[in-house]
Amino acid sequence: MNNLIPITDIKGVGEKTAKAFEKLNIYTINDLIHYYPRDYEENISMKKISEVEINEICLIEGDVCELPQNIRKKNIVITKMKVRDETGQLYITWFRQPYMKNKFSINENVVLKGKVILKYGQLQMESPQIIRKDELLLQSTQQLLPIYPLIKELTLRNLTDFINQGLEYTKGQLKDYLPNEIKERYMLCEYNYALYQIHNPDDEFALEIAKKRLIFDEFLFFQLGLLMIKNECFVMDNQFQYKEESLVNKFLSQLPFNLTNAQTKVWEEIKGDLKGSLTMNRLVQGDVGSGKTIVAVLALLFAVENGYQGTMMAPTEVLAKQHYKSLTNLLEPLGIKVGILVGSMTKKQKLEMAAEIANGSIQIIIGTHAIIQDPIRFHNLSLVITDEQHRFGVKQREKLAGKGHHPHVLVMSATPIPRTLALIVYGDMDVSIIDELPPGRQIIKTYHVKSNYRERIYAFIEKEIELGRQCYIVCPAVEENEELEMESVIQYTDKIKKVINPSVRIEYLHGKMKAKEKNFFMESFSEGKIDILVSTTVIEVGVNVPNATIMVIENAERFGLAGLHQLRGRVGRGEHQSHCILITDSNADITKKRMKVLENNSDGFIISEYDLKLRGPGDAFGIKQHGLPEFKIGSIFENMDVLKETHILAKKINSEDDKLSSEKYKPLIELINRSFNQSISQISL
Ligand code: ADP
Ligand code: MG
């Protein structure tokens, strides 16, 4: 059965709908039937008005027999109308939605869904959803109705219909690529059954079984894929075996501090790789402030001492500049030339820099990820370090390999996740962990307050500023929308300028600013020319301004634990006691728990353990913060057991048959090749 037929073969899907499907990355019938529901709704059957029961959520169809009226009660507007069918009449009410008044006309036929309650002796349906007739699904016998993530060009009904046609096309004849022995061992259902049930579950039980199979598949492919990437792309002979280490050792002995035990251990691991027989491919995880930079510096210096170039890439210009500054300070006294390459440089500057990189007179290159994108020629690059979150993927590696390099790769991540999880999701890398902070660090005092504390907080900030300290305020943004973010930052700044002592210098940053502007304000802040910096989360992860001692986070409930911990890590970097103030009026249980965790904990690894436990639905932002891969149906957090199971299985398969070349894996390898070609960048970047 050829399931790679274009989506336009489905009845009702023309050019226009096909275009809409492109937004969802759906091109073929195969893509379509793998577009899974995000949730399921109990199918509620239509009731006659005379049959509805108190406290029941139900669906009714009737005609509007009394137009909606707005009634004001105390401070709220209640909109009330009446609907009838051939068996009776029912009041419908909405609260604080006065505009509902103009939504209906007399005798209009409507379908409404909501809870029926008894109030003042009257049956009424409260705040119902208005169901468009064409959204009513056909199969009313089904217990669970799938809800798909939609876009505005597609109605639920259309999409459901198209998907079912797609399933019809494949007629349950898709090849089941898992060998029977695996299905038996892990008690997995057949593939076509799973696919059908995920879209049309018979009942909860069937749905669970279907989900388990599809989640298992997704995780298993991911793990096998990582292992294959590791085998094919990353396990390579070390072309740059470093030998000399007297300069590095001398540098180490002259540092104004001793490495922590954790830093020493990680440095030894890195050194072992660089001197060893295979190319390094290592992830260093360490909490904010654990001192990852110095470890990176040692590795870069080691490269230079052995006659090679090294580069360090940062996700933003602000961070690249900060690294450039500290590396120049540390290494130029040794006669080492450090260069920087970022987007805001002029063309001429870039060309000059490129020339010096090509002829080898610059030994260490700091820059944004554009370094690899641009047609830069290195003299003899042997080490690539990427800082914060960004992984150095297969694609970049291929790009460099095309230039004749197979450099060592070191990734620094400041969003720690538990080691067990790290080993699984970064299966293609070796993992080192810096699990200790340099001595003498003060604990950042963390408080969770309601917004009526604001005045007191501002007074506290003024006092700290008088003492010469500085402050960050992260202010609320409604959603991930740069326009709104900008407005919110500007408004907030205006507001506090009115209440805070006018001698206090306040500036703001937002995501719509040009890199140059951002750099300017960040630098001014870092030089102490700004007292309060208001911003959204553009305060870059990794920014180091030791004189800043207060971090205020408005609407703290919007962030996951990892995000809050990261933001808090911007302070507590110097000798002065620092404070983090989390403002939220949310009474939600999960928010309170999260705030408590932060008040009581400062260790990023422990916080990340809590983060995994205290997750609400739809916490995707948290996942992004961790830099973890996102899956279509599996959840790293909810399906950890399956993740572990597949990890063990993938390793076993890989050790027995690393190319999956035996007959029983043939369908599997075909599928992995196909899906990895599409998503390899997502997995490895
Ligand atoms: P991060 O891991 O968040 O990138 P940094 O590398 O920026 O942390 O280090 C934070 C601060 O700690 C820097 O000012 C650095 O000089 C200092 N530092 C790093 N290692 C040590 C150490 N072993 N002893 C004392 N201070 C250290
Ligand atoms: Mg850092």
Side-chain angles (χ1 to χ4, degrees), residues 260-274 280-300 312 383-392 408-419 422-423 426 428-436 541 566 605 626:
T260 60
N261 288 335
Q263 282 171 318
T264 304
K265 189 182 85 213
V266 170
W267 167 234
E268 290 298 329
E269 285 166 352
I270 293 171
K271 207 161 70 173
D273 288 347
L274 295 171
M280 174 168 73
N281 184 38
R282 186 172 288 279
L283 172 79
V284 174
Q285 284 204 88
D287 206 349
V288 278
S290 62
K292 293 181 291 293
T293 315
I294 196 70
V295 173
V297 170
L298 291 171
L300 289 166
M312 175 133 119
L383 171 65
V384 175
I385 301 180
T386 69
D387 190 25
E388 312 290 357
Q389 309 221 354
H390 288 251
R391 298 184 66 198
F392 187 71
H408 297 291
V409 170
L410 190 61
V411 176
M412 306 275 185
S413 167
T415 35
I417 54 173
R419 182 174 203 116
L423 289 177
Y426 300 117
D428 55 333
M429 310 189 96
D430 298 313
V431 178
S432 289
I433 295 184
I434 307 185
D435 51 5
E436 182 185 356
V541 170
Q566 273 296 330
F605 286 95
H626 282 293

Side-chain angles (χ1 to χ4, degrees), residues 292-425:
K292 293 181 291 293
T293 315
I294 196 70
V295 173
V297 170
L298 291 171
L300 289 166
L301 179 60
F302 198 17
V304 174
E305 177 175 13
N306 282 274
Y308 301 113
Q309 287 175 310
T311 174
M312 175 133 119
M313 298 192 281
T316 65
E317 281 208 34
V318 169
L319 279 182
K321 289 203 160 147
Q322 186 178 294
H323 283 321
Y324 175 65
K325 221 190 247 164
S326 45
L327 264 75
T328 313
N329 286 341
L330 286 166
L331 299 177
E332 279 198 347
L334 308 177
I336 291 168
K337 276 201 82 179
V338 182
I340 181 163
L341 200 59
V342 290
S344 67
M345 286 162 60
T346 64
K347 199 157 184 201
K348 184 158 166 275
Q349 287 171 321
K350 283 185 198 160
L351 283 175
E352 280 170 14
M353 186 57 64
E356 287 188 272
I357 294 170
N359 69 24
S361 60
I362 284 191
Q363 295 146 302
I364 294 175
I365 304 102
I366 312 294
T368 45
H369 290 78
I371 299 183
I372 300 296
Q373 259 74 55
D374 287 348
I376 291 292
R377 212 167 271 292
F378 293 92
H379 180 63
N380 57 2
L381 182 69
S382 71
L383 171 65
V384 175
I385 301 180
T386 69
D387 190 25
E388 312 290 357
Q389 309 221 354
H390 288 251
R391 298 184 66 198
F392 187 71
V394 176
K395 285 206 172 125
Q396 281 111 327
R397 208 176 260 263
E398 276 171 357
K399 243 181 178 159
L400 278 177
K403 296 176 187 177
H405 305 284
H406 291 285
H408 297 291
V409 170
L410 190 61
V411 176
M412 306 275 185
S413 167
T415 35
I417 54 173
R419 182 174 203 116
T420 44
L421 185 57
L423 289 177
I424 296 174
V425 297

Side-chain angles (χ1 to χ4, degrees), residues 399-655:
K399 243 181 178 159
L400 278 177
K403 296 176 187 177
H405 305 284
H406 291 285
H408 297 291
V409 170
L410 190 61
V411 176
M412 306 275 185
S413 167
T415 35
I417 54 173
R419 182 174 203 116
T420 44
L421 185 57
L423 289 177
I424 296 174
V425 297
Y426 300 117
D428 55 333
M429 310 189 96
D430 298 313
V431 178
S432 289
I433 295 184
I434 307 185
D435 51 5
E436 182 185 356
L437 293 185
R441 281 289 155 79
Q442 295 181 12
I443 298 227
I444 302 164
K445 290 194 176 147
T446 303
Y447 324 87
H448 153 216
V449 299
K450 297 216 176 233
S451 58
N452 57 9
Y453 265 66
R454 238 182 238 125
E455 265 174 45
R456 268 180 269 184
I457 294 166
Y458 294 152
F460 177 60
I461 294 174
E462 282 176 344
K463 237 171 62 196
E464 282 283 297
I465 288 172
E466 243 168 67
L467 294 172
R469 306 287 87 76
Q470 290 163 282
C471 167
Y472 296 101
I473 301 182
V474 176
C475 80
V478 195
E479 34 188 315
E480 282 186 45
N481 173 327
E482 292 198 328
E483 205 70 52
L484 287 177
E485 239 178 60
M486 177 179 78
E487 274 175 34
S488 146
V489 170
I490 296 174
Q491 272 176 17
Y492 190 95
T493 309
D494 284 346
K495 224 167 58 197
I496 60 169
K497 274 189 173 165
K498 289 196 188 108
V499 295
I500 288 181
N501 185 339
S503 66
V504 171
R505 297 158 301 174
I506 306 175
E507 293 293 346
Y508 59 79
L509 278 185
H510 58 73
K512 287 207 83 154
M513 279 179 169
K514 294 224 162 64
K516 252 201 169 122
E517 262 180 298
K518 273 196 242 175
N519 290 340
F520 174 77
F521 285 120
M522 233 17 262
E523 264 164 37
S524 308
F525 186 69
S526 145
E527 287 161 10
K529 294 177 187 156
I530 295 172
D531 302 311
I532 299 181
L533 190 64
V534 180
S535 81
T536 53
T537 45
V538 288
I539 315 176
E540 322 287 349
V541 170
V543 159
N544 191 24
V545 181
N547 191 46
T549 55
I550 305 183
M551 166 63 69
V552 177
I553 303 174
E554 293 272 2
N555 288 64
E557 76 280 357
R558 283 177 308 133
F559 299 96
L561 276 173
L564 291 170
H565 179 64
Q566 273 296 330
L567 287 171
R568 175 169 68 177
R570 298 311 103 222
V571 296
R573 305 188 142 243
E575 54 190 301
H576 303 286
Q577 175 63 53
S578 291
H579 308 267
C580 174
I581 300 158
L582 306 163
I583 305 181
T584 170
D585 286 326
S586 161
N587 283 320
D589 228 24
I590 185 146
T591 307
K592 285 189 193 154
K593 282 188 187 148
R594 282 181 179 160
M595 301 302 134
K596 266 264 155 322
V597 168
L598 286 165
E599 283 179 333
N600 298 335
N601 294 281
S602 55
D603 180 333
F605 286 95
I606 291 174
I607 289 172
S608 91
E609 298 255 9
Y610 276 109
D611 202 13
L612 303 189
K613 282 187 215 140
L614 294 179
R615 302 196 68 79
D619 248 345
F621 181 61
I623 296 183
K624 280 190 197 124
Q625 283 274 314
H626 282 293
L628 295 175
E630 288 171 69
F631 294 95
K632 248 166 79 173
I633 184 163
S635 152
I636 291 180
F637 306 103
E638 280 155 40
N639 313 116
M640 185 69 115
D641 46 343
V642 185
L643 192 61
K644 284 182 179 157
E645 236 170 29
T646 52
H647 179 61
I648 294 168
L649 176 62
K651 274 174 63 171
K652 184 163 168 279
I653 294 177
N654 189 257
S655 66

Side-chain angles (χ1 to χ4, degrees), residues 50-254:
S50 64
E51 293 170 348
V52 301
E53 284 174 35
I54 297 170
N55 286 333
E56 179 192 34
I57 294 177
C58 60
L59 197 63
I60 57 149
E61 177 174 359
D63 301 329
V64 176
C65 59
E66 260 175 39
L67 279 177
Q69 301 275 339
N70 282 344
I71 312 159
R72 189 170 281 278
K73 263 205 182 147
K74 286 181 192 154
N75 270 330
I76 57 170
V77 178
I78 303 174
T79 311
K80 200 163 180 181
M81 76 170 182
K82 206 189 234 178
V83 167
R84 74 165 165 232
D85 68 7
E86 68 276 16
T87 69
Q89 302 187 344
L90 187 64
Y91 279 106
I92 312 290
T93 47
W94 286 276
F95 299 92
R96 297 177 205 271
Q97 299 182 56
Y99 49 85
M100 293 310 282
K101 183 173 188 287
N102 306 319
K103 282 231 159 170
F104 303 91
S105 49
I106 197 83
N107 290 330
E108 180 182 345
N109 183 263
V110 290
V111 177
L112 300 167
K113 181 172 141 196
K115 191 168 178 178
V116 175
I117 58 153
L118 188 67
K119 226 179 196 173
Y120 314 117
Q122 279 174 351
L123 274 185
Q124 17 182 298
M125 183 180 268
E126 271 194 349
S127 309
Q129 245 177 296
I130 304 166
I131 311 281
R132 283 190 3 218
K133 276 235 174 119
D134 65 350
E135 294 285 338
L136 274 180
L137 293 173
L138 296 170
Q139 347 72 308
S140 52
T141 52
Q142 228 172 286
Q143 263 187 40
L144 293 166
L145 301 177
I147 309 291
Y148 295 92
L150 291 176
I151 49 175
K152 68 175 189 298
E153 297 90 336
L154 280 171
T155 65
L156 183 59
R157 181 175 167 146
N158 282 340
L159 184 62
T160 309
D161 172 40
F162 297 151
I163 288 175
N164 281 321
Q165 279 192 54
L167 288 169
E168 198 51 34
Y169 246 94
T170 59
K171 292 197 185 65
Q173 301 295 312
L174 297 179
K175 204 183 274 173
D176 192 333
Y177 37 80
L178 280 191
N180 282 333
E181 59 183 67
I182 292 183
K183 275 184 287 183
E184 271 164 37
R185 179 148 26 108
Y186 293 93
M187 297 198 287
L188 300 170
C189 69
E190 197 273 334
Y191 178 59
N192 288 278
Y193 175 81
L195 211 50
Y196 184 82
Q197 290 293 326
I198 206 79
H199 294 293
N200 300 285
D202 286 342
D203 50 37
E204 294 276 355
F205 184 63
L207 180 61
E208 274 318 299
I209 292 178
K211 265 192 188 160
K212 159 103 201 241
R213 165 73 206 250
L214 298 177
I215 292 169
F216 191 94
D217 287 10
E218 192 174 30
F219 284 163
L220 181 66
F221 296 167
F222 175 72
Q223 311 271 328
L224 283 172
L226 283 186
L227 289 172
M228 294 179 86
I229 290 177
K230 184 172 182 174
N231 297 342
E232 279 176 31
C233 309
F234 292 149
V235 180
M236 272 177 301
D237 288 339
N238 185 352
Q239 301 178 14
F240 314 94
Q241 278 194 344
Y242 299 176
K243 294 184 183 74
E244 293 301 320
E245 57 178 286
S246 54
L247 186 60
V248 179
N249 289 334
K250 188 166 152 233
F251 175 78
L252 252 180
S253 68
Q254 287 173 355

